[in-house]
Amino acid sequence: MSTTGATADPLAALGALPGVADSVESVRKAVDRVYGHRIMRRRSNAITSEAALRGARGSAALSGADWALEEVRRRTDFSGDDEARTVGAALRLTAEAGQLLSIWRQSPLRVLARLHLVAAATHGPEVGRPRQAGEPVDEPLVELPLPGAAEVNGRLEGLSELIITGGSAPALVTAAVVHGELLALRPFTSRNGLVARAAERIVLIGSGLDPKSVCPSEVGYAELGRAAYLAALDGYVSGTPEGMAAWIAHCGRAVEMGARESTAVCEALQRGAA
């Protein structure tokens, strides 16, 4: 996304695209339904914990480790093959995201570096910083042209300025742009998809749209499927109004599906308590 242009608030301009307001309203209604559930008033911590687990499973699935939920729940060792390491990285990021809210609005680039450090879980010189010229990127499921290191740095700075400056854009729009921009740039040498979805989660929590983190959009993305996810990302990368609106709508549907997932968890807990 280009952050230069005539408008002083480009995120707010995206919010005015055709259909985006409907997506924003639909997401708000879905979120309100789960927050209004009687179980949320008594057992919100349990719902948050379950949403974290299901969100991590969904994010890992989009990165090629499509494990059953119960397998993720029962496993304690994620140091085996690459799929296990991917699931472990998704779980660590989900746990870390809530700890970084106070830093995000002041230093989003610092948060992104921390997220990559947590996801990579290695100590190489490339970890926790944007990739340099000539460094390869291990993100095989995203096959878009890879921006050069100079473009990455410039666009990350632009994204950081938008976050720090703030504005009137709905939380969904900001979250979708953060997510889409990080996927398009792939600023790190690995784990960019996991980092992008964790950053979206931070925006949704910190904005107040989903303060208890009970609407895991990652569940929705996984259910909608990788093909739909990548097709919507193509729209974001195109930069056209229609493409951007389609990406935001896709993100909105994912949040709604995450909210419905947690509503179903609330219903199950309520039946168990009856």
Side-chain angles (χ1 to χ4, degrees):
M1 175 189 176
S2 173
T3 58
T4 60
T7 177
D9 192 348
L11 294 180
L14 292 178
L17 290 174
V20 170
D22 291 339
S23 294
V24 169
E25 179 63 18
S26 185
V27 166
R28 169 53 65 188
K29 289 179 178 177
V31 172
D32 285 348
R33 278 193 293 272
V34 66
Y35 274 84
H37 199 285
R38 59 182 296 184
I39 290 293
M40 277 293 295
R41 293 193 292 272
R42 295 187 282 123
R43 300 190 61 183
S44 64
N45 288 342
I47 306 302
T48 295
S49 296
E50 187 64 19
L53 186 73
R54 294 178 184 224
R57 193 217 72 83
S59 190
L62 287 167
S63 287
D66 192 0
W67 287 15
L69 179 62
E70 292 310 313
E71 177 68 7
V72 178
R73 195 189 304 278
R74 75 170 187 83
R75 286 283 287 267
T76 57
D77 181 7
F78 297 95
S79 62
D81 59 16
D82 189 58
E83 284 197 5
R85 289 191 291 272
T86 297
V87 174
L91 289 166
R92 290 192 301 274
L93 284 172
T94 301
E96 187 76 10
Q99 310 302 314
L100 299 171
L101 297 174
S102 62
I103 305 172
W104 175 253
R105 287 299 296 270
Q106 286 75 42
S107 184
L109 297 185
R110 180 180 164 195
V111 169
L112 293 176
R114 174 62 185 170
L115 290 175
H116 185 244
L117 186 68
V118 169
T122 62
H123 301 288
E126 76 284 358
V127 175
R129 62 152 172 79
R131 56 186 167 83
Q132 298 176 357
E135 289 183 328
V137 174
D138 180 16
E139 201 72 42
L141 301 178
V142 179
E143 298 178 349
L144 295 167
L146 193 66
E151 180 181 351
V152 167
N153 286 327
R155 287 172 64 175
L156 282 178
E157 288 292 342
L159 184 64
S160 177
E161 289 174 13
L162 286 177
I163 299 302
I164 293 170
T165 302
S168 59
L172 172 65
V173 172
T174 303
V177 168
V178 167
H179 185 171
E181 192 73 351
L182 292 174
L183 275 181
L185 293 178
R186 282 145 291 160
F188 302 108
T189 58
S190 65
R191 305 296 191 199
N192 289 284
L194 295 177
V195 168
R197 292 183 288 275
E200 180 189 76
R201 167 99 337 250
I202 288 172
V203 175
L204 294 173
I205 299 169
S207 67
L209 177 63
D210 182 18
K212 294 184 182 293
S213 193
V214 296
C215 303
S217 59
E218 304 93 337
V219 169
Y221 293 124
E223 289 190 14
L224 290 165
R226 191 179 300 148
Y229 185 66
L230 295 177
L233 179 62
D234 283 343
Y236 178 87
V237 173
S238 76
T240 65
E242 296 80 8
M244 297 292 285
W247 170 250
I248 294 168
H250 188 76
C251 294
R253 286 193 295 274
V255 176
E256 289 183 60
M257 293 173 76
R260 287 200 293 268
E261 182 88 355
S262 285
T263 300
V265 172
C266 287
E267 293 292 334
L269 287 175
Q270 182 169 280
R271 288 193 297 272

